[in-house]
Amino acid sequence: MPGRTTVTVHADREVHPHRAVAPPIYQTATFSAVDAEEFARSALEARGTDFYTRYGNPNHAQAAAVVAELEGTEAAMVTASGMAALTTAVLALVRAGDHVIGQKSTYGGTASVLLNLLPRLGVSTTLVDQTDPGAFEKALRPKTRLILLETPSNPLLRITDLRAVARLARAHRVTTLADNTFATPLNQRPAESGVDVVWHSATKYLNGHGDVSAGVLAGPADLLDRIWETGVLTGAALGPIDAWLLLRGLRTLPLRVARHNANGQALAEALADHPAVSRVHYPGLAGHPQHRLAAEQMSGFGGVLGIEFTGGYDKADAFLGRLAYFRRSASLGGVESLAVHPASMWRGMLSDEQITDAVPPGLVRLAAGTEDTADLVADARAAADAVLAGTATA
């Protein structure tokens, strides 16, 4: 198998052959057929490329081919956002009366699907401590059909033992769906641990430039065909230009992830012993309670870390106000560094009680970009110094 960087450049070459070095943008809503037989074939082909863009598009297939190769899965498909990927998959794989297991530490949007959306559709859910593989087994019911995983988790960077949970799920014929957004397929490949379907908010690292909203699902073709059928009905299609931009971002993913990994590690080490900081959540630190597991199933630890400040929300907000290179903004995984207060950001997705259960009020999520490492470290330490001295203001 070729190396990962070679894959990002060449994996889509035969998906929709053309002579252009840069792939064309197929900016069309629909495609014509030469006869009735070709029209019928195109209309029925799952994840096709030449019927109607809501069903599929050459740009979709090209981006999906690269992700499937990177994740080591049989197939992949793209959606309009990461949440579109998640909700489309969940709606395709469960029905009223079923039971779903999720994690207590997970992205706010995923938590809202588990706590707010699925119960309205007659699907019961249980959230467990992801750091305990036995908790997943205890939560199993006869009607459990799906387990939602996320590792490292957002924003506490907790680690799930993918191999242990996948083995448990397969023994009980339960489908596993893992969010690999934080790790990327360069740092972790859940399918190699037995996970059935992998999903990403491709808005983040896969695109890497903050100019696209997109999602990706990767896994066995038969499962993706079921998810695709639901996606056609819900209209979760990605626009051709966005798919093209996603593909362009994928070309440089290995180059960018190497810098993200280095910057994340350097920031975690620089802030771990700062007196204004009560705790740093980053699996690359030897002091992380799950560092050994993270090192076993990851080849790099990513650019996202959680920083807890003594003094709660006020100190966290003051820290954000003193950062120069980190912009106060949602999202992550782009070339620019971003910082956000999760307890504030998730108010549109979860209730105050749910947020309190999910994240500490003094937590800041730093998403290191690709800037020079020394500049980011100096910026973060100076802001933390100001918090300690009491000179930082929100």
Side-chain angles (χ1 to χ4, degrees), residues 119-130:
R120 287 165 39 200
L121 303 179
V123 177
S124 60
T125 64
T126 302
L127 273 59
V128 302
D129 176 4
Q130 76 185 86

Side-chain angles (χ1 to χ4, degrees), residues 86-103:
L86 172 64
T87 55
T88 301
V90 170
L91 290 174
L93 298 174
V94 301
R95 62 181 63 186
D98 287 346
H99 174 247
V100 176
I101 299 173
Q103 301 179 173

Side-chain angles (χ1 to χ4, degrees), residues 30-362:
T30 192
F31 300 81
S32 64
V34 297
D35 54 34
E37 182 178 351
E38 183 180 74
F39 186 84
R41 175 198 60 77
S42 299
L44 296 174
E45 183 182 9
R47 295 174 288 108
T49 62
D50 57 0
F51 175 65
Y52 191 70
T53 286
R54 178 160 57 89
Y55 287 57
N57 180 289
N59 297 125
H60 294 174
Q62 290 166 324
V66 174
V67 174
E69 191 77 11
L70 288 173
E71 287 286 3
T73 60
E74 183 180 10
M77 60 177 281
V78 297
T79 62
S81 67
M83 287 304 298
L86 172 64
T87 55
T88 301
V90 170
L91 290 174
L93 298 174
V94 301
R95 62 181 63 186
D98 287 346
H99 174 247
V100 176
I101 299 173
Q103 301 179 173
K104 290 181 179 178
S105 178
T106 193
Y107 168 57
T110 303
S112 188
V113 169
L114 289 162
L115 296 171
N116 302 324
L117 176 62
L118 289 181
R120 287 165 39 200
L121 303 179
V123 177
S124 60
T125 64
T126 302
L127 273 59
V128 302
D129 176 4
Q130 76 185 86
T131 65
D132 177 14
F136 290 91
E137 185 170 14
K138 292 176 183 176
L140 283 170
R141 301 179 187 175
K143 294 292 285 183
T144 302
R145 296 291 179 264
L146 181 65
I147 298 178
L148 295 183
L149 306 173
E150 180 183 318
T151 182
S153 69
N154 182 2
L156 295 176
L157 285 299
R158 291 177 180 162
I159 307 299
T160 307
D161 189 332
L162 292 172
R163 198 171 299 278
V165 178
R167 185 166 54 243
L168 170 71
R170 294 209 168 181
H172 291 83
R173 297 183 179 180
V174 175
T175 301
T176 47
L177 177 63
D179 183 349
N180 202 31
T181 299
F182 268 30
T184 83
L186 274 298
N187 289 331
Q188 176 177 269
R189 303 217 295 182
E192 292 181 347
S193 296
V195 168
D196 295 306
V197 180
V198 181
W199 72 279
H200 292 261
S201 172
T203 308
K204 314 301 193 295
Y205 287 107
L206 299 190
N207 167 255
H209 293 80
D211 53 10
V212 164
S213 176
V216 177
L217 291 146
D222 60 340
L223 271 178
L224 290 188
D225 287 350
R226 288 172 57 189
I227 296 170
W228 170 83
E229 290 175 357
T230 299
V232 169
L233 296 176
T234 60
L238 184 64
I241 291 179
D242 287 341
W244 185 89
L245 286 170
L246 171 58
L247 179 63
R248 188 178 67 170
L250 284 165
R251 302 296 196 212
T252 61
L253 180 65
L255 308 177
R256 291 183 285 104
V257 167
R259 176 57 72 87
H260 289 299
N261 288 344
N263 283 347
Q265 186 74 36
L267 283 162
E269 292 174 359
L271 294 170
D273 60 354
H274 196 285
V277 175
S278 60
R279 187 175 181 184
V280 173
H281 301 264
Y282 187 74
L285 291 176
H288 187 284
Q290 296 176 286
H291 174 68
R292 179 175 296 182
L293 173 60
E296 288 175 358
Q297 65 186 30
M298 301 179 73
S299 57
F301 303 108
V304 180
L305 55 156
I307 312 296
E308 278 191 63
F309 287 90
T310 304
Y313 171 80
D314 290 340
K315 296 296 184 182
D317 197 45
F319 173 77
L320 287 168
R322 287 300 295 262
L323 292 168
Y325 293 121
F326 290 83
R327 296 188 180 186
R328 192 192 297 242
S329 177
S331 200
L332 55 102
V335 295
E336 60 286 311
S337 291
L338 304 176
V340 72
H341 182 239
S344 298
M345 179 174 64
W346 290 357
R347 283 180 177 165
M349 296 180 279
L350 299 171
S351 68
D352 288 344
E353 182 179 357
Q354 290 168 341
I355 292 171
T356 300
D357 290 340
V359 292

